[in-house]
Amino acid sequence: MKLPSFDYACPATIAEAVALLAAHGGEAKLIAGGQSLVPMLAFRLTVPSLLVDLRKLSELRQIKITDAGVVLGAMVRWRDILEDRLLRQAHPLLTAAVEHIAHYQIRNRGTVGGSLAHADPAAELPGIAVTCDADIVAHGSAGPRAIAAADFFRGALMTTLRPDEIVTEIRFPAWPKQRHFGFREFARRRGDFALAAAAVAFDEIEKKFRDVRIGAIGVGDRPLRLTAAERALEGRVISEAAVTGCAAAASAAVDPADDIHASGGYRKTLIGVMVERALRDAVGRPIV
Ligand SMILES: Cc1cc2nc3c(=O)[nH]c(=O)nc-3n(C[C@H](O)[C@H](O)[C@H](O)COP(=O)(O)OP(=O)(O)OC[C@H]3O[C@@H](n4cnc5c(N)ncnc54)[C@H](O)[C@@H]3O)c2cc1C
């Protein structure tokens, strides 16, 4: 299907891009890699009067690793993340999740900012952002602001972004070197969106689970932190009973809707299985 007609701008600075958005009062759309936007245009799910292309904003392509954590610019692509060996060490859970995103061609163009702003509940990066307490930074006419990932996603394809705001980066807190983690995903074919995925992380202190994170993807209208499942593990000795109890709590905590890909009941069972498998990976040894 042919795209609707629109004007096109390719600003050289963030300020210029923000000014273009502000001047068009919600009628303009940003374009990053076009991986979600172009199909949406083709299906007339959005009909903007202006496309504002972010490709000249090279400052948005940076990956920064410091003692404070990891910062990914909005125009960083999946491929950039996967090819960065330092990032793999600095935030192994992030890299493990990005490995599941889409197919080769899409990973060459799909971006961090596009994924966050598109807010697909089955997308990996929003799930990791919520699981790891990341902050998403947006620049608008009122200046920059940092939004906690937990507050950023408002529903399927809905965020707290204002019409004149651009996501410029996402900041992950530093990853403790001894953290255990696991990421498990089930999709019909490798590279398809997840039917359900689980991200888990914890510290092991005196054989007990500490600072537990359990994130769930694809089982709600937004990425979820499963706090009841976290409580089922926090402070407990690492054991078979603790792991299976946490998986059951994860399944009980979600209420996914039926859709064309799977029934809600199937996804509810699946997230328990994904949490259990991710926890076993994270523990990294047989559990008794
Ligand atoms: C066949 C297919 C399979 C896929 N599978 C997966 C998958 O398994 N997992 C997964 O996570 N993703 C998947 N994706 C999504 C893909 O990885 C991209 O992340 C996503 O499409 C966003 O694309 P983009 O970065 O090109 O953004 P665009 O398509 O250019 O933009 C998407 C939306 O974000 C807005 N936007 C873009 N950049 C910014 C910004 N900096 N600030 C504010 N708003 C912005 C745009 O206006 C638009 O509304 C898949 C996509 C396709 C086409």
Side-chain angles (χ1 to χ4, degrees), residues 14-86:
I14 294 172
E16 208 184 311
V18 168
L20 283 164
L21 292 182
H24 284 77
E27 291 294 311
K29 272 272 182 201
L30 297 169
I31 181 162
Q35 297 304 289
S36 292
L37 185 61
V38 170
M40 289 180 77
L41 291 170
F43 286 112
R44 303 297 191 270
L45 295 173
T46 181
V47 188
S49 61
L50 173 72
L51 283 196
V52 179
D53 194 338
L54 297 176
R55 74 188 160 86
K56 282 192 190 159
L57 305 184
S58 53
E59 68 265 46
L60 301 186
R61 295 190 189 278
Q62 292 179 8
I63 296 176
K64 293 181 216 152
I65 302 170
T66 66
D67 290 346
V70 163
V71 180
L72 305 176
M75 289 298 280
V76 168
R77 303 166 305 160
W78 308 130
R79 177 182 170 176
D80 303 323
I81 292 174
L82 294 174
E83 288 181 349
D84 193 315
R85 285 197 301 185
L86 293 177

Side-chain angles (χ1 to χ4, degrees), residues 183-259:
F183 186 86
R184 282 291 187 126
E185 167 166 331
F186 187 82
R188 283 235 178 82
R189 295 169 303 185
R190 182 154 181 89
D192 281 3
F193 275 105
L195 290 182
V200 310
F202 61 86
D203 296 328
E204 181 179 343
I205 300 174
E206 295 173 347
K207 300 196 175 156
K208 290 182 179 162
F209 290 104
R210 292 290 182 196
D211 196 9
V212 178
R213 308 296 172 100
I214 310 279
I217 294 165
V219 289
D221 69 351
R222 65 196 81 180
L224 302 173
R225 268 281 289 276
L226 304 182
T227 49
E230 292 175 355
R231 282 196 301 275
L233 279 190
E234 190 67 47
R236 289 192 64 185
V237 171
I238 295 176
S239 66
E240 185 66 31
V243 167
T244 53
C246 174
S251 183
V254 302
D255 187 18
D258 296 339
D259 63 24

